Amino acid sequence: MPFSIDTFRQYLKMANDKYAKHKDSSMSPLERHLAGLHAVGATQLPAIQALWGAVPYAKQTKYAGASMYLKQFLPGLVDATPCKPKMEFESYKVAKGPFAGQTDYLVRAYHRHKLTWQSSNGHMGSLANVGTREQVTHRTNPAAAPFHAVLCGSIPLTFTQGATTNAGADSGINRDDHSIGNPALILRRPLTAGSVIADQVYQYTTDGTTWLPIPGATYEIEKGVRLQGGNLVFYFRKEGTNNRLANRFHFEVEYAIGPAITTTITRIPVPPFSYLPMANLSDHTSRIVAQRQ
């Protein structure tokens, strides 16, 4: 049988015989939306998910009978989705050692960032059946000028990283290392100004197949070469894309570009972040442009 708003309302009143008699309940927006639908199915899931996920956990528990009835028609409906994301620059590490004929060469720098989120119903355990990942899409070829065609050639135009199924979002956290090889290695010679921009979108899934953006968790990542103080410098920037927020996340640093390496290099090592010691950002960058959390 198809979904019946009358049956749904019966479940609401079974849980609370005074439901919505004198004032709106937290379930009222969902009830009104369902009452206006001709059918309940997969195409209606996004709007229904937003309304059900906004109901506080205690009320969801109280009206469990109504939700179980609704979920018969919407298998992908979950009790909560990630919300209120917050991006932070967390830590900085560098990999140094014998390389390219030098004894203590800075091979790679890691700018670790941390994204945290909350649960739309206020209960993190409700996100156990939700997965999260990041999707990164470069707007142009990441191995094009000003970058080294060979040493940057393995960077994909687009990729995803994180969960592959609908589980794990109850952790409430995701980390990105954002590592870069020494600018002297990854840039073409002669040096020219230019950059590559990538769009980073954090997503969630309730069924392991359909991925939707986490509201407010979209960032712009830019790497490139520009003129600063009369010299060409390398820069790395990560910034929130919500222009309506005056205090949106913004992290940006510059590095001096050392002399070209004469040794033939075909690959830049990527040591695991966990194996490296902590470092001070100011010790290895030429300028900290922005570090707004």
Side-chain angles (χ1 to χ4, degrees):
M1 295 183 64
F3 173 83
S4 167
I5 186 61
D6 292 331
T7 302
F8 183 77
R9 285 169 170 160
Q10 287 175 10
Y11 277 109
L12 294 176
K13 292 177 180 179
M14 285 171 60
N16 179 7
D17 59 3
K18 298 180 181 179
Y19 172 78
K21 279 189 175 181
H22 304 294
K23 62 179 181 178
D24 270 2
S25 162
S26 56
M27 291 289 287
S28 295
L30 174 61
E31 179 199 359
R32 285 193 290 265
H33 181 77
L34 293 172
L37 297 177
H38 297 295
V40 171
T43 56
Q44 290 79 37
L45 177 58
I48 294 173
Q49 179 63 75
L51 291 168
W52 170 243
V55 175
Y57 176 69
K59 295 295 185 179
Q60 288 183 341
T61 303
K62 181 176 182 177
Y63 294 105
S67 73
M68 289 177 63
Y69 173 70
L70 180 59
K71 288 175 182 178
Q72 294 178 36
F73 305 92
L74 294 169
L77 185 65
V78 294
D79 292 339
T81 56
C83 68
K84 299 180 180 178
K86 181 181 180 182
M87 180 64 71
E88 298 176 79
F89 169 67
E90 186 177 47
S91 58
Y92 180 72
K93 293 185 177 184
V94 296
K96 299 177 70 175
F99 191 75
Q102 301 189 34
T103 57
D104 193 30
Y105 191 76
L106 192 153
V107 179
R108 185 171 292 276
Y110 298 74
H111 314 82
R112 173 163 275 200
H113 287 68
K114 176 180 70 175
L115 180 75
T116 55
W117 56 83
Q118 298 179 30
S119 172
S120 62
N121 72 354
H123 180 249
M124 290 302 294
S126 296
L127 294 174
N129 293 324
V130 177
T132 60
R133 72 179 187 185
E134 59 168 305
Q135 182 179 62
V136 176
T137 303
H138 291 91
R139 299 179 188 175
T140 55
N141 182 0
F147 293 94
H148 196 290
V150 175
L151 293 177
C152 298
S154 62
I155 301 174
L157 189 64
T158 184
F159 64 90
T160 59
Q161 185 170 291
T164 58
T165 186
N166 55 323
D170 51 334
S171 67
I173 190 169
N174 182 81
R175 289 184 169 89
D176 291 325
D177 291 342
H178 290 304
S179 76
I180 57 169
N182 189 311
L185 300 176
I186 64 174
L187 297 174
R188 296 187 187 191
R189 304 291 172 146
L191 296 172
T192 57
S195 70
V196 171
I197 297 176
D199 297 298
Q200 182 186 43
V201 181
Y202 287 89
Q203 303 172 318
Y204 73 91
T205 181
T206 62
D207 60 7
T209 302
T210 304
W211 293 86
L212 300 170
I214 298 174
T218 302
Y219 302 88
E220 190 176 88
I221 300 170
E222 183 176 17
K223 296 181 288 185
V225 176
R226 67 188 176 200
L227 196 63
Q228 171 62 33
N231 297 308
L232 288 173
V233 298
F234 176 85
Y235 67 98
F236 170 79
R237 175 180 68 88
K238 179 169 182 173
E239 190 167 1
T241 60
N242 191 339
N243 292 325
R244 292 176 297 177
L245 298 178
N247 62 340
R248 69 184 186 275
F249 176 81
H250 183 192
F251 176 86
E252 188 171 350
V253 292
E254 293 178 346
Y255 288 85
I257 303 171
I261 298 298
T262 56
T263 307
T264 300
I265 304 296
T266 58
R267 180 181 173 275
I268 303 174
V270 188
F273 182 88
S274 59
Y275 292 177
L276 302 171
M278 290 291 183
N280 292 319
L281 194 62
S282 57
D283 290 344
H284 300 282
T285 58
S286 58
R287 188 167 72 114
I288 299 174
V289 181
Q291 196 173 335
R292 186 169 62 232
Q293 309 283 55

